[in-house]
Every structure is written in C-alpha cells, then in structure tokens.
Amino acid sequence: QVQLVESGGGLVQAGGSLRVSCVASGFTFRMYAMGWFRQGAGKEREFVAAISWIGGSTNYTESVKGRFTISRDNAKNTLYLQMNSLKPEDTAVYYCAATPWTGWGLPPQKYLYWGQGTQVTVSS
C-alpha cells in the first residue's frame, strides 16, 4: 500500500522557519522524483519545489527561491522542505507527491502518489 505521510506543519510568525517532512512507503522511493505543492484557501494547488531521483537537481517556483530548500534522504525514504523567511502568503496546506516522470514543470496530473497534506500557517 502506497503511503506518503507529511508532518511538521504548524503556526509560525512571519520571518520564522519550519521544516516539513514526508515519509514514503509502499513504492521504490529512490526511483521517483518528488515534489512539494501547496494549496491556500480558495486557491488552486500550485507547485512549490521538486527534486530529482538522486537529489542532485532541484527546481523551485519563483516566489520561494532563496527561502525554501527541498531535499531527500533515500535511505530513510523521506522528503523534506525547509522553509525560511516565511511570509503570510506562504500559508497553505503543503502536499508531497511522487512522479516517475523526468523533467521540470510537470503538472499535478503527472504525479502518481500524494500525501494527505500538512497545514502551514504564517501569521503577520
């Protein structure tokens, strides 16, 4: 049974930091590229960051470049998103997702497996 379980969300003040994690099981984690998406209230789900199978390549949406860092530990089947200098507009439910496809800019439909999400709230 495939599972992606996010954790680490919470409430933080603007300018603060959080690290969210995603533990994978039920599939060969190291064979999949991974991504983080987020969905704010009343908004569409949007891409945040992605990382290649081995972790040597990463990609970010423009609004989080220089503030967020995506990483993975294939030995632990775990994906991370370190979020620094958080802003109120970063408030959203954050989802991790897995895709067997290569290339950047993949739409959500190309991601096969999804977690249940973790809430991140940034207060001003």
Side-chain angles (χ1 to χ4, degrees), residues 39-51:
Q39 188 166 16
K43 299 180 181 179
E44 292 187 355
R45 189 168 300 190
E46 65 170 349
F47 168 79
V48 176
I51 188 166

Side-chain angles (χ1 to χ4, degrees), residues 25-46:
S25 61
F27 66 102
T28 308
F29 179 74
R30 66 181 184 276
M31 298 298 291
Y32 285 71
M34 298 295 296
W36 285 100
F37 290 77
R38 66 186 179 186
Q39 188 166 16
K43 299 180 181 179
E44 292 187 355
R45 189 168 300 190
E46 65 170 349

Side-chain angles (χ1 to χ4, degrees), residues 36-39 43-49 59-69 81-92 94 122:
W36 285 100
F37 290 77
R38 66 186 179 186
Q39 188 166 16
K43 299 180 181 179
E44 292 187 355
R45 189 168 300 190
E46 65 170 349
F47 168 79
V48 176
N59 188 41
Y60 299 90
T61 193
E62 195 64 34
S63 63
V64 308
K65 284 182 180 178
R67 300 189 298 121
F68 290 12
T69 302
L81 184 68
Q82 177 67 45
M83 302 182 288
N84 299 328
S85 301
L86 282 160
K87 305 175 181 180
E89 51 263 44
D90 295 317
T91 294
Y94 283 72
V122 184

Side-chain angles (χ1 to χ4, degrees), residues 12-14 88 122-124:
V12 64
Q13 287 189 330
V122 184
S123 64
S124 57

